[in-house]
Amino acid sequence: MTTIKRGLKATAVALALSTAFASAPAFAAGKLTISSPQDPGSWDPIDTFLVQWAAVATNIFDGLTYRGPDLKLVPGLAESWEELDEGKRIRFKLRQNVKFHNGEPFNAAAVKFTFERLLGEQGAKGPQRSNYISIESIDVIDDYTVDLKLKAADPVLLTKLAGYGAMIVPPKYIQEKGEDNFNLNPVGTGAFKFVSYQPKVDIKLEANADYWGGAPKLSELQFRFIAEPATAVAELQAGRVDLVIPPTIPIGMLPVIEGDNKLEIVSVPGPTVDALRFNTRDGITADPKVRKAIIMAVDRGTIVKSILAGQASEITSFQSALSFGFDPDLKAIPYDPAGAKKLLAEAGVKAGATLQIDIRGNDATMNEVAQVISSYLSMVGITATIKPYETNVLLNDIIPQGKTGAMFQQKWGGWTFDYDNTAYSMYHSGEKWNPYDKDEKLDKLLESQRPLTDRAAREKILREVGAYASERALELPLYNSNAIFGINKRVKGFIAPPDNRLKLTDVTVE
Protein backbone atom coordinates (compact mmCIF):
# COMPACT_ATOMS: atom_id res chain seq x y z
CA MET A 1 0.00 0.00 0.00
CA THR A 2 1.31 3.41 -0.96
CA THR A 3 0.02 6.26 1.14
CA ILE A 4 0.68 9.84 0.11
CA LYS A 5 2.06 11.78 3.04
CA ARG A 6 2.18 15.55 3.10
CA GLY A 7 4.66 16.14 5.84
CA LEU A 8 4.86 19.36 7.79
CA LYS A 9 7.78 20.69 5.81
CA ALA A 10 9.13 23.82 7.35
CA THR A 11 9.21 25.82 4.14
CA ALA A 12 5.65 25.00 3.13
CA VAL A 13 4.28 25.67 6.58
CA ALA A 14 6.19 28.89 6.97
CA LEU A 15 4.70 30.09 3.69
CA ALA A 16 1.22 29.03 4.78
CA LEU A 17 1.51 30.84 8.09
CA SER A 18 2.98 33.94 6.54
CA THR A 19 -0.12 34.27 4.37
CA ALA A 20 -2.71 32.95 6.83
CA PHE A 21 -3.33 36.34 8.36
CA ALA A 22 -2.32 38.54 5.44
CA SER A 23 -4.77 40.35 3.26
CA ALA A 24 -6.32 37.96 0.75
CA PRO A 25 -8.29 38.69 -2.40
CA ALA A 26 -12.05 38.73 -2.23
CA PHE A 27 -13.43 35.24 -2.11
CA ALA A 28 -14.47 33.52 -5.29
CA ALA A 29 -17.56 31.40 -5.67
CA GLY A 30 -16.72 27.95 -4.45
CA LYS A 31 -18.11 25.43 -2.00
CA LEU A 32 -16.21 22.85 0.01
CA THR A 33 -18.19 19.93 1.45
CA ILE A 34 -16.63 18.01 4.32
CA SER A 35 -17.68 14.75 5.93
CA SER A 36 -17.37 14.73 9.72
CA PRO A 37 -18.15 11.57 11.72
CA GLN A 38 -19.77 13.36 14.65
CA ASP A 39 -22.19 16.17 15.40
CA PRO A 40 -20.93 17.87 18.59
CA GLY A 41 -24.48 18.88 19.51
CA SER A 42 -23.50 22.37 20.72
CA TRP A 43 -21.31 25.05 19.13
CA ASP A 44 -20.56 26.90 22.36
CA PRO A 45 -16.79 26.73 23.00
CA ILE A 46 -17.22 26.00 26.71
CA ASP A 47 -19.48 23.00 26.09
CA THR A 48 -17.03 20.81 24.25
CA PHE A 49 -13.80 18.84 24.21
CA LEU A 50 -14.48 17.22 20.81
CA VAL A 51 -12.00 17.33 17.96
CA GLN A 52 -14.95 17.32 15.56
CA TRP A 53 -16.17 20.56 17.15
CA ALA A 54 -12.79 22.15 16.54
CA ALA A 55 -12.70 20.97 12.92
CA VAL A 56 -15.72 23.19 12.28
CA ALA A 57 -15.39 25.90 14.90
CA THR A 58 -11.80 26.90 14.09
CA ASN A 59 -13.41 28.57 11.08
CA ILE A 60 -16.10 30.36 13.14
CA PHE A 61 -14.15 31.49 16.21
CA ASP A 62 -10.73 32.95 16.98
CA GLY A 63 -8.65 32.87 20.13
CA LEU A 64 -6.14 35.38 21.40
CA THR A 65 -3.45 33.09 19.97
CA TYR A 66 -3.45 30.69 17.02
CA ARG A 67 -1.60 27.47 16.36
CA GLY A 68 -1.39 26.27 12.78
CA PRO A 69 -0.48 22.94 11.19
CA ASP A 70 3.22 23.42 12.01
CA LEU A 71 2.22 23.55 15.72
CA LYS A 72 3.86 26.96 16.20
CA LEU A 73 2.05 29.58 18.25
CA VAL A 74 1.38 32.91 16.49
CA PRO A 75 -0.80 35.96 17.20
CA GLY A 76 -4.55 35.59 16.80
CA LEU A 77 -6.95 38.22 18.11
CA ALA A 78 -4.05 39.46 20.22
CA GLU A 79 -1.41 41.23 18.15
CA SER A 80 1.18 40.66 20.86
CA TRP A 81 1.63 39.72 24.49
CA GLU A 82 4.18 39.97 27.27
CA GLU A 83 4.62 37.99 30.45
CA LEU A 84 4.92 40.10 33.61
CA ASP A 85 5.32 39.45 37.34
CA GLU A 86 7.38 36.31 36.79
CA GLY A 87 4.75 34.77 34.55
CA LYS A 88 1.82 35.51 36.86
CA ARG A 89 0.37 38.18 34.59
CA ILE A 90 0.10 38.21 30.81
CA ARG A 91 -0.69 41.48 29.03
CA PHE A 92 -2.33 41.23 25.61
CA LYS A 93 -2.48 43.98 23.00
CA LEU A 94 -5.62 43.32 20.99
CA ARG A 95 -6.32 43.82 17.29
CA GLN A 96 -8.40 46.88 16.52
CA ASN A 97 -11.27 47.22 14.05
CA VAL A 98 -12.29 43.58 14.41
CA LYS A 99 -15.99 42.75 14.55
CA PHE A 100 -18.03 39.72 15.46
CA HIS A 101 -20.25 38.29 12.73
CA ASN A 102 -23.27 40.10 14.19
CA GLY A 103 -21.48 43.45 13.93
CA GLU A 104 -20.64 44.00 17.59
CA PRO A 105 -17.07 45.10 18.25
CA PHE A 106 -14.30 42.87 19.50
CA ASN A 107 -12.46 44.55 22.38
CA ALA A 108 -11.13 44.00 25.89
CA ALA A 109 -14.66 43.84 27.28
CA ALA A 110 -15.35 40.82 25.05
CA VAL A 111 -12.21 39.13 26.33
CA LYS A 112 -13.22 39.78 29.93
CA PHE A 113 -16.74 38.48 29.30
CA THR A 114 -15.42 35.35 27.58
CA PHE A 115 -13.13 34.29 30.41
CA GLU A 116 -15.45 35.27 33.27
CA ARG A 117 -18.15 33.20 31.58
CA LEU A 118 -15.74 30.28 31.11
CA LEU A 119 -14.58 30.40 34.73
CA GLY A 120 -18.03 31.08 36.16
CA GLU A 121 -21.29 29.23 36.60
CA GLN A 122 -21.85 28.62 32.89
CA GLY A 123 -18.35 27.25 32.34
CA ALA A 124 -18.69 24.94 35.33
CA LYS A 125 -21.37 23.03 33.41
CA GLY A 126 -18.91 22.04 30.68
CA PRO A 127 -15.59 20.19 30.38
CA GLN A 128 -13.31 23.13 29.52
CA ARG A 129 -13.15 25.10 32.75
CA SER A 130 -10.43 23.02 34.44
CA ASN A 131 -7.99 23.84 31.63
CA TYR A 132 -8.10 27.54 32.57
CA ILE A 133 -8.35 27.59 36.36
CA SER A 134 -4.88 29.14 36.64
CA ILE A 135 -6.58 32.43 35.63
CA GLU A 136 -7.48 34.45 38.72
CA SER A 137 -8.87 37.60 37.10
CA ILE A 138 -9.22 39.44 33.81
CA ASP A 139 -8.34 43.12 34.07
CA VAL A 140 -9.24 45.61 31.35
CA ILE A 141 -6.48 48.21 30.98
CA ASP A 142 -8.10 49.99 28.05
CA ASP A 143 -10.32 49.01 25.11
CA TYR A 144 -7.49 47.10 23.42
CA THR A 145 -5.30 46.03 26.32
CA VAL A 146 -6.17 43.29 28.78
CA ASP A 147 -4.27 41.49 31.53
CA LEU A 148 -4.82 37.88 32.54
CA LYS A 149 -3.75 37.67 36.16
CA LEU A 150 -2.80 34.14 37.17
CA LYS A 151 -2.90 32.35 40.51
CA ALA A 152 0.37 30.75 39.46
CA ALA A 153 2.38 30.68 36.25
CA ASP A 154 0.86 28.33 33.67
CA PRO A 155 3.39 27.27 31.03
CA VAL A 156 0.71 25.81 28.74
CA LEU A 157 -1.80 28.65 28.95
CA LEU A 158 -0.76 30.47 25.77
CA THR A 159 -1.32 27.26 23.82
CA LYS A 160 -4.66 26.68 25.53
CA LEU A 161 -5.72 30.17 24.44
CA ALA A 162 -5.48 28.97 20.82
CA GLY A 163 -8.44 26.62 21.01
CA TYR A 164 -11.61 25.23 22.51
CA GLY A 165 -12.88 26.97 25.67
CA ALA A 166 -10.77 30.10 25.11
CA MET A 167 -12.43 31.09 21.83
CA ILE A 168 -13.64 34.68 22.15
CA VAL A 169 -17.43 35.07 22.15
CA PRO A 170 -19.76 38.09 21.69
CA PRO A 171 -21.12 39.46 25.01
CA LYS A 172 -24.12 41.40 23.73
CA TYR A 173 -25.31 38.59 21.43
CA ILE A 174 -25.20 35.98 24.19
CA GLN A 175 -26.79 38.26 26.77
CA GLU A 176 -29.63 39.25 24.44
CA LYS A 177 -30.27 35.90 22.69
CA GLY A 178 -29.48 33.54 25.55
CA GLU A 179 -27.28 30.52 26.10
CA ASP A 180 -29.53 28.00 24.39
CA ASN A 181 -29.67 30.09 21.25
CA PHE A 182 -25.88 30.47 21.18
CA ASN A 183 -25.44 26.69 21.39
CA LEU A 184 -27.24 26.33 18.05
CA ASN A 185 -26.48 29.67 16.37
CA PRO A 186 -22.79 30.48 16.99
CA VAL A 187 -21.27 33.89 16.38
CA GLY A 188 -17.53 34.52 16.38
CA THR A 189 -14.91 36.63 14.62
CA GLY A 190 -13.66 33.88 12.29
CA ALA A 191 -13.19 33.56 8.55
CA PHE A 192 -16.61 31.96 8.06
CA LYS A 193 -20.04 32.93 9.40
CA PHE A 194 -22.75 30.59 10.60
CA VAL A 195 -25.68 30.09 8.21
CA SER A 196 -27.68 27.08 9.41
CA TYR A 197 -27.49 23.95 11.52
CA GLN A 198 -29.53 20.76 11.24
CA PRO A 199 -28.68 18.44 14.14
CA LYS A 200 -27.26 15.09 12.96
CA VAL A 201 -27.38 16.38 9.36
CA ASP A 202 -25.09 19.33 8.67
CA ILE A 203 -23.84 22.80 9.49
CA LYS A 204 -23.42 25.43 6.77
CA LEU A 205 -21.11 28.43 6.83
CA GLU A 206 -20.46 31.33 4.47
CA ALA A 207 -17.38 33.43 3.90
CA ASN A 208 -16.80 36.45 6.14
CA ALA A 209 -15.69 39.04 3.58
CA ASP A 210 -14.58 41.35 6.40
CA TYR A 211 -12.39 38.82 8.16
CA TRP A 212 -9.48 40.58 9.85
CA GLY A 213 -7.04 38.05 8.39
CA GLY A 214 -8.30 38.49 4.83
CA ALA A 215 -11.39 37.10 3.14
CA PRO A 216 -11.47 33.34 2.52
CA LYS A 217 -11.02 32.08 -1.01
CA LEU A 218 -14.15 29.91 -0.71
CA SER A 219 -17.68 31.28 -0.51
CA GLU A 220 -19.27 28.35 1.34
CA LEU A 221 -18.45 25.50 3.71
CA GLN A 222 -20.74 22.59 4.49
CA PHE A 223 -19.91 20.00 7.13
CA ARG A 224 -22.07 16.92 6.74
CA PHE A 225 -22.33 14.60 9.74
CA ILE A 226 -21.87 11.10 8.34
CA ALA A 227 -21.30 8.55 11.07
CA GLU A 228 -21.04 5.49 8.84
CA PRO A 229 -17.52 5.25 7.30
CA ALA A 230 -18.65 3.33 4.20
CA THR A 231 -21.24 6.02 3.47
CA ALA A 232 -18.67 8.80 3.88
CA VAL A 233 -16.25 7.10 1.49
CA ALA A 234 -19.04 6.44 -1.02
CA GLU A 235 -20.00 10.13 -0.92
CA LEU A 236 -16.35 11.05 -1.49
CA GLN A 237 -16.17 8.73 -4.50
CA ALA A 238 -19.43 10.15 -5.88
CA GLY A 239 -18.10 13.73 -5.60
CA ARG A 240 -20.79 14.82 -3.16
CA VAL A 241 -18.12 15.22 -0.48
CA ASP A 242 -14.72 16.82 -1.11
CA LEU A 243 -12.95 15.92 2.13
CA VAL A 244 -13.38 13.15 4.71
CA ILE A 245 -11.74 13.99 8.03
CA PRO A 246 -10.36 11.74 10.78
CA PRO A 247 -11.13 9.40 12.39
CA THR A 248 -13.66 8.29 9.76
CA ILE A 249 -11.71 6.16 7.30
CA PRO A 250 -11.05 2.60 8.45
CA ILE A 251 -7.65 1.19 7.52
CA GLY A 252 -9.37 -1.47 5.43
CA MET A 253 -10.92 1.18 3.18
CA LEU A 254 -7.68 2.96 2.29
CA PRO A 255 -7.20 0.86 -0.88
CA VAL A 256 -10.65 1.92 -2.08
CA ILE A 257 -9.63 5.58 -2.00
CA GLU A 258 -6.12 4.97 -3.31
CA GLY A 259 -7.56 3.05 -6.25
CA ASP A 260 -9.63 6.05 -7.38
CA ASN A 261 -7.63 8.42 -9.59
CA LYS A 262 -9.81 11.36 -8.53
CA LEU A 263 -8.93 10.90 -4.86
CA GLU A 264 -5.94 10.68 -2.56
CA ILE A 265 -5.06 9.87 1.03
CA VAL A 266 -3.26 12.44 3.14
CA SER A 267 -1.75 10.94 6.30
CA VAL A 268 0.17 12.86 8.97
CA PRO A 269 1.39 11.87 12.44
CA GLY A 270 -0.84 13.40 15.09
CA PRO A 271 -1.42 13.46 18.83
CA THR A 272 -4.46 11.16 18.91
CA VAL A 273 -4.07 8.09 21.09
CA ASP A 274 -6.43 5.19 21.69
CA ALA A 275 -6.75 3.14 24.85
CA LEU A 276 -9.22 0.92 26.62
CA ARG A 277 -9.48 2.41 30.07
CA PHE A 278 -10.48 0.41 33.12
CA ASN A 279 -13.31 0.69 35.58
CA THR A 280 -11.06 0.71 38.65
CA ARG A 281 -13.99 0.85 41.07
CA ASP A 282 -16.18 -2.16 40.28
CA GLY A 283 -15.84 -5.80 39.34
CA ILE A 284 -12.70 -7.74 38.53
CA THR A 285 -10.90 -4.71 37.08
CA ALA A 286 -10.91 -3.03 40.50
CA ASP A 287 -7.91 -5.33 41.18
CA PRO A 288 -4.65 -3.98 39.68
CA LYS A 289 -3.42 -7.55 39.18
CA VAL A 290 -6.36 -8.21 36.87
CA ARG A 291 -5.75 -4.98 34.97
CA LYS A 292 -2.09 -5.90 34.44
CA ALA A 293 -3.09 -9.39 33.38
CA ILE A 294 -5.44 -7.97 30.74
CA ILE A 295 -2.66 -5.75 29.38
CA MET A 296 -0.26 -8.71 29.30
CA ALA A 297 -2.83 -10.80 27.42
CA VAL A 298 -2.98 -8.47 24.39
CA ASP A 299 -0.35 -8.39 21.64
CA ARG A 300 -0.52 -4.73 20.68
CA GLY A 301 2.40 -4.97 18.26
CA THR A 302 0.48 -7.43 16.11
CA ILE A 303 -2.62 -5.24 16.23
CA VAL A 304 -0.67 -2.23 14.95
CA LYS A 305 1.05 -4.22 12.23
CA SER A 306 -1.85 -6.38 11.03
CA ILE A 307 -4.95 -4.26 11.57
CA LEU A 308 -3.62 -0.71 11.36
CA ALA A 309 -1.28 -1.36 8.41
CA GLY A 310 1.46 0.85 9.81
CA GLN A 311 -0.81 3.89 10.14
CA ALA A 312 -0.14 3.96 13.89
CA SER A 313 2.52 3.19 16.48
CA GLU A 314 2.35 1.43 19.84
CA ILE A 315 2.13 3.56 22.98
CA THR A 316 3.34 2.81 26.49
CA SER A 317 1.47 5.65 28.18
CA PHE A 318 -1.65 7.56 27.14
CA GLN A 319 0.20 10.09 24.97
CA SER A 320 2.02 10.27 21.66
CA ALA A 321 5.75 10.72 21.13
CA LEU A 322 4.96 14.33 20.12
CA SER A 323 3.69 15.11 23.61
CA PHE A 324 5.72 17.16 26.09
CA GLY A 325 6.19 14.75 28.98
CA PHE A 326 6.65 11.68 26.79
CA ASP A 327 9.23 9.30 28.22
CA PRO A 328 11.00 7.23 25.54
CA ASP A 329 12.53 5.05 28.26
CA LEU A 330 9.23 3.97 29.81
CA LYS A 331 8.89 0.24 29.34
CA ALA A 332 5.57 -1.21 28.27
CA ILE A 333 3.94 -4.00 30.22
CA PRO A 334 4.95 -6.86 27.90
CA TYR A 335 2.80 -9.31 25.97
CA ASP A 336 2.94 -12.39 28.19
CA PRO A 337 -0.13 -14.67 28.14
CA ALA A 338 1.42 -17.14 30.59
CA GLY A 339 2.16 -14.31 32.99
CA ALA A 340 -1.39 -13.03 32.52
CA LYS A 341 -2.86 -16.40 33.49
CA LYS A 342 -0.67 -16.48 36.59
CA LEU A 343 -1.79 -13.02 37.72
CA LEU A 344 -5.45 -13.89 37.14
CA ALA A 345 -5.05 -17.01 39.26
CA GLU A 346 -3.41 -14.98 42.03
CA ALA A 347 -6.35 -12.58 41.88
CA GLY A 348 -8.82 -15.45 42.20
CA VAL A 349 -10.31 -14.93 38.74
CA LYS A 350 -11.58 -18.23 37.41
CA ALA A 351 -11.71 -19.28 33.77
CA GLY A 352 -14.91 -18.07 32.13
CA ALA A 353 -14.99 -14.72 33.94
CA THR A 354 -16.80 -12.10 31.89
CA LEU A 355 -16.34 -8.40 31.21
CA GLN A 356 -17.81 -5.77 28.89
CA ILE A 357 -15.89 -3.49 26.54
CA ASP A 358 -17.69 -0.25 25.56
CA ILE A 359 -16.71 1.37 22.25
CA ARG A 360 -17.85 4.07 19.83
CA GLY A 361 -20.23 2.38 17.43
CA ASN A 362 -19.10 4.29 14.34
CA ASP A 363 -15.39 3.62 14.89
CA ALA A 364 -14.92 0.71 12.49
CA THR A 365 -11.22 0.38 13.23
CA MET A 366 -11.75 0.16 16.99
CA ASN A 367 -14.56 -2.32 16.45
CA GLU A 368 -12.12 -4.60 14.65
CA VAL A 369 -9.42 -4.00 17.28
CA ALA A 370 -11.86 -4.79 20.09
CA GLN A 371 -12.80 -8.06 18.42
CA VAL A 372 -9.13 -9.06 18.33
CA ILE A 373 -8.67 -8.01 21.97
CA SER A 374 -11.67 -10.17 22.85
CA SER A 375 -9.95 -13.12 21.17
CA TYR A 376 -6.74 -12.49 23.09
CA LEU A 377 -8.64 -12.33 26.38
CA SER A 378 -10.40 -15.61 25.63
CA MET A 379 -6.97 -17.25 25.45
CA VAL A 380 -6.38 -16.41 29.12
CA GLY A 381 -9.85 -17.43 30.25
CA ILE A 382 -11.79 -14.16 30.09
CA THR A 383 -14.94 -13.84 27.98
CA ALA A 384 -15.34 -10.29 26.68
CA THR A 385 -18.49 -8.86 25.13
CA ILE A 386 -18.33 -5.69 23.05
CA LYS A 387 -21.02 -3.06 23.45
CA PRO A 388 -21.09 -0.29 20.82
CA TYR A 389 -22.68 3.05 21.67
CA GLU A 390 -23.58 6.08 19.61
CA THR A 391 -20.54 8.29 20.18
CA ASN A 392 -22.28 11.18 21.90
CA VAL A 393 -24.12 8.79 24.21
CA LEU A 394 -20.89 7.07 25.24
CA LEU A 395 -19.07 10.36 25.79
CA ASN A 396 -21.84 12.33 27.47
CA ASP A 397 -24.04 9.78 29.23
CA ILE A 398 -22.00 6.66 29.89
CA ILE A 399 -18.37 7.49 30.70
CA PRO A 400 -18.81 10.70 32.78
CA GLN A 401 -21.64 9.10 34.76
CA GLY A 402 -19.56 6.02 35.63
CA LYS A 403 -21.91 3.65 33.80
CA THR A 404 -19.37 1.80 31.68
CA GLY A 405 -18.46 -1.83 31.57
CA ALA A 406 -15.11 -3.06 32.87
CA MET A 407 -13.29 -1.45 29.93
CA PHE A 408 -14.20 1.51 27.75
CA GLN A 409 -12.73 3.18 24.71
CA GLN A 410 -11.04 6.52 25.19
CA LYS A 411 -9.73 8.35 22.15
CA TRP A 412 -7.91 11.53 23.08
CA GLY A 413 -6.43 14.21 20.85
CA GLY A 414 -4.09 15.82 23.38
CA TRP A 415 -4.33 18.91 21.18
CA THR A 416 -1.94 21.01 23.29
CA PHE A 417 0.78 18.40 22.68
CA ASP A 418 1.43 18.59 26.40
CA TYR A 419 0.76 15.57 28.62
CA ASP A 420 -0.89 17.79 31.23
CA ASN A 421 -3.88 18.24 28.93
CA THR A 422 -4.43 14.48 28.85
CA ALA A 423 -3.23 13.36 32.27
CA TYR A 424 -5.12 15.96 34.33
CA SER A 425 -8.36 15.13 32.52
CA MET A 426 -7.89 11.38 32.78
CA TYR A 427 -6.41 10.93 36.25
CA HIS A 428 -7.21 13.87 38.54
CA SER A 429 -9.98 13.19 41.05
CA GLY A 430 -13.34 14.65 40.10
CA GLU A 431 -12.59 15.22 36.43
CA LYS A 432 -15.26 14.36 33.86
CA TRP A 433 -13.14 11.64 32.24
CA ASN A 434 -12.16 10.06 35.55
CA PRO A 435 -15.44 8.70 36.92
CA TYR A 436 -13.92 5.89 38.98
CA ASP A 437 -10.46 6.58 40.36
CA LYS A 438 -9.21 8.71 43.26
CA ASP A 439 -5.49 8.75 43.95
CA GLU A 440 -4.00 11.38 46.25
CA LYS A 441 -0.49 10.82 44.93
CA LEU A 442 -1.59 11.36 41.34
CA ASP A 443 -3.55 14.47 42.30
CA LYS A 444 -0.51 15.99 43.99
CA LEU A 445 1.79 15.18 41.09
CA LEU A 446 -0.60 16.69 38.56
CA GLU A 447 -1.15 19.82 40.62
CA SER A 448 2.54 20.31 41.35
CA GLN A 449 3.64 20.54 37.71
CA ARG A 450 1.04 23.04 36.51
CA PRO A 451 2.65 26.24 37.86
CA LEU A 452 6.26 25.32 37.01
CA THR A 453 8.03 27.41 34.41
CA ASP A 454 11.15 25.24 34.59
CA ARG A 455 10.55 22.94 31.60
CA ALA A 456 12.95 20.27 32.81
CA ALA A 457 11.29 20.12 36.22
CA ARG A 458 7.81 19.92 34.66
CA GLU A 459 8.91 17.24 32.25
CA LYS A 460 10.33 15.15 35.07
CA ILE A 461 7.03 15.24 36.97
CA LEU A 462 4.96 14.50 33.86
CA ARG A 463 7.13 11.48 33.16
CA GLU A 464 6.58 10.38 36.75
CA VAL A 465 2.84 10.68 36.18
CA GLY A 466 3.10 8.47 33.09
CA ALA A 467 5.16 5.87 34.94
CA TYR A 468 2.80 5.84 37.94
CA ALA A 469 -0.29 5.48 35.71
CA SER A 470 1.45 2.57 33.97
CA GLU A 471 2.38 0.99 37.29
CA ARG A 472 -1.25 1.17 38.42
CA ALA A 473 -2.41 -0.11 35.00
CA LEU A 474 -5.14 2.52 34.67
CA GLU A 475 -5.68 1.70 31.00
CA LEU A 476 -4.67 -0.71 28.27
CA PRO A 477 -2.64 1.67 26.08
CA LEU A 478 -3.10 0.77 22.44
CA TYR A 479 -1.76 3.05 19.72
CA ASN A 480 -1.03 6.54 18.45
CA SER A 481 -2.81 6.79 15.11
CA ASN A 482 -2.02 8.94 12.12
CA ALA A 483 -4.55 11.58 11.12
CA ILE A 484 -5.90 10.19 7.83
CA PHE A 485 -7.79 12.44 5.40
CA GLY A 486 -9.51 11.33 2.20
CA ILE A 487 -9.55 14.18 -0.30
CA ASN A 488 -10.71 14.94 -3.82
CA LYS A 489 -7.79 16.15 -5.94
CA ARG A 490 -9.83 19.15 -7.08
CA VAL A 491 -9.29 20.61 -3.60
CA LYS A 492 -6.23 22.86 -3.62
CA GLY A 493 -4.29 24.59 -0.84
CA PHE A 494 -5.28 22.13 1.89
CA ILE A 495 -2.64 21.48 4.56
CA ALA A 496 -3.52 18.54 6.79
CA PRO A 497 -3.40 19.60 10.45
CA PRO A 498 -2.16 16.88 12.80
CA ASP A 499 -4.71 17.98 15.42
CA ASN A 500 -7.65 18.01 12.94
CA ARG A 501 -8.33 21.70 13.59
CA LEU A 502 -9.11 22.78 10.04
CA LYS A 503 -8.33 26.35 9.01
CA LEU A 504 -9.80 26.60 5.52
CA THR A 505 -9.18 30.25 4.68
CA ASP A 506 -6.77 29.54 1.81
CA VAL A 507 -8.41 26.43 0.36
CA THR A 508 -9.96 26.47 -3.11
CA VAL A 509 -12.01 23.96 -5.12
CA GLU A 510 -11.41 23.72 -8.86
Side-chain angles (χ1 to χ4, degrees):
M1 182 186 304
T2 301
T3 300
I4 296 175
K5 294 188 178 182
R6 295 180 186 169
L8 301 177
K9 295 181 179 178
T11 52
V13 173
L15 178 60
L17 275 176
S18 68
T19 59
F21 300 113
S23 179
F27 58 83
K31 177 181 177 182
L32 181 71
T33 302
I34 300 159
S35 171
S36 171
Q38 183 180 10
D39 178 358
S42 170
W43 299 105
D44 188 335
I46 64 175
D47 284 348
T48 191
F49 59 92
L50 296 172
V51 171
Q52 302 310 326
W53 178 90
V56 177
T58 299
N59 299 284
I60 300 173
F61 297 102
D62 294 305
L64 295 176
T65 62
Y66 171 71
R67 191 188 67 193
D70 70 342
L71 308 182
K72 293 181 179 178
L73 208 60
V74 297
L77 287 174
E79 290 184 329
S80 63
W81 56 84
E82 60 177 328
E83 295 182 307
L84 306 169
D85 301 341
E86 298 181 337
K88 292 184 180 179
R89 185 161 55 98
I90 308 175
R91 173 161 293 180
F92 294 90
K93 293 292 185 181
L94 307 180
R95 293 185 187 276
Q96 300 188 30
N97 303 314
V98 175
K99 291 186 177 181
F100 289 96
H101 300 149
N102 66 332
E104 77 179 90
F106 161 74
N107 51 30
V111 175
K112 184 177 178 67
F113 173 85
T114 294
F115 286 101
E116 289 186 343
R117 177 174 178 265
L118 169 63
L119 296 169
E121 181 180 342
Q122 193 65 30
K125 300 175 183 178
Q128 282 295 327
R129 184 178 179 275
S130 66
N131 284 323
Y132 303 92
I133 55 175
S134 62
I135 300 172
E136 183 175 63
S137 65
I138 304 92
D139 302 326
V140 172
I141 307 305
D142 59 43
D143 280 351
Y144 296 100
T145 308
V146 64
D147 285 359
L148 295 189
K149 185 179 178 182
L150 311 183
K151 300 170 187 174
D154 182 345
V156 194
L157 182 60
L158 287 170
T159 298
K160 293 174 185 174
L161 296 181
Y164 294 91
M167 298 292 93
I168 306 301
V169 299
K172 184 178 178 182
Y173 177 79
I174 293 175
Q175 290 165 342
E176 291 183 352
K177 301 291 186 180
E179 299 286 350
D180 291 342
N181 176 79
F182 185 58
N183 290 347
L184 305 179
N185 300 273
V187 167
T189 60
F192 289 87
K193 298 189 286 188
F194 172 78
V195 174
S196 66
Y197 170 51
Q198 298 181 77
K200 304 294 180 70
V201 178
D202 68 359
I203 183 170
K204 294 178 181 178
L205 312 178
E206 66 181 9
N208 175 11
D210 299 321
Y211 183 51
W212 58 267
K217 295 177 181 178
L218 291 165
S219 56
E220 298 175 69
L221 290 180
Q222 179 188 21
F223 288 81
R224 293 175 56 193
F225 305 119
I226 305 176
E228 174 55 49
T231 304
V233 172
E235 292 294 278
L236 181 67
Q237 289 181 293
R240 291 186 288 269
V241 161
D242 302 302
L243 178 65
V244 177
I245 62 177
T248 302
I249 303 172
I251 300 299
M253 296 193 76
L254 291 180
V256 174
I257 296 173
E258 292 170 327
D260 190 323
N261 61 13
K262 304 185 303 297
L263 311 176
E264 65 178 328
I265 289 292
V266 181
S267 175
V268 294
T272 300
V273 285
D274 279 83
L276 290 180
R277 304 194 67 217
F278 290 112
N279 178 341
T280 60
R281 185 188 66 196
D282 310 312
I284 62 173
T285 51
D287 188 332
K289 283 187 177 181
V290 175
R291 301 197 297 266
K292 287 182 181 179
I294 290 171
I295 296 170
M296 292 166 70
V298 177
D299 186 351
R300 291 168 286 166
T302 295
I303 288 173
V304 168
K305 183 178 178 180
S306 300
I307 297 178
L308 303 178
Q311 292 288 338
S313 56
E314 287 183 72
I315 55 174
T316 56
S317 60
F318 200 35
Q319 60 183 316
S320 77
L322 300 173
S323 167
F324 180 76
F326 173 77
D327 184 355
D329 297 322
L330 181 63
K331 303 298 182 186
I333 295 175
Y335 173 54
D336 180 3
K341 289 180 180 179
K342 183 180 178 182
L343 279 180
L344 289 172
E346 290 176 7
V349 177
K350 299 185 183 302
T354 62
L355 60 77
Q356 178 178 300
I357 302 174
D358 298 342
I359 66 169
R360 302 182 185 189
N362 70 335
D363 190 335
T365 298
M366 177 53 74
N367 196 311
E368 189 173 354
V369 168
Q371 296 289 345
V372 173
I373 289 172
S374 176
S375 296
Y376 279 124
L377 293 180
S378 70
M379 295 178 190
V380 298
I382 294 176
T383 300
T385 58
I386 299 166
K387 186 168 184 178
Y389 285 94
E390 195 275 324
T391 299
N392 283 352
V393 172
L394 179 63
L395 298 182
N396 295 319
D397 300 333
I398 303 301
I399 297 175
Q401 306 304 321
K403 297 178 180 179
T404 72
M407 303 173 73
F408 56 96
Q409 179 189 2
Q410 190 84 60
K411 180 186 290 288
W412 196 255
W415 74 276
T416 61
F417 291 82
D418 189 296
Y419 188 39
D420 168 81
N421 176 257
T422 303
Y424 203 97
S425 296
M426 297 298 134
Y427 307 135
H428 195 279
S429 299
E431 285 295 305
K432 178 176 182 177
W433 304 116
N434 181 23
Y436 300 119
D437 204 60
K438 293 182 180 180
D439 188 309
E440 187 176 346
K441 179 179 177 179
L442 260 180
D443 287 352
K444 288 181 178 178
L445 284 171
L446 289 163
E447 292 162 8
S448 68
Q449 56 81 33
R450 278 202 156 179
L452 297 180
T453 55
D454 183 329
R455 284 179 61 83
R458 263 194 86 235
E459 186 173 44
K460 182 179 179 182
I461 295 173
L462 288 173
R463 288 183 173 185
E464 189 176 347
V465 169
Y468 186 59
S470 177
E471 177 188 332
R472 290 199 55 219
L474 295 178
E475 63 258 321
L476 165 57
L478 292 170
Y479 45 81
N480 169 211
S481 53
N482 285 1
I484 302 173
F485 299 80
I487 188 168
N488 193 304
K489 292 179 182 178
R490 69 188 177 197
V491 177
K492 305 297 180 184
F494 174 73
I495 299 175
D499 57 5
N500 210 17
R501 296 171 66 227
L502 307 179
K503 183 85 168 180
L504 298 169
T505 316
D506 293 326
V507 172
T508 58
V509 177
E510 293 183 348

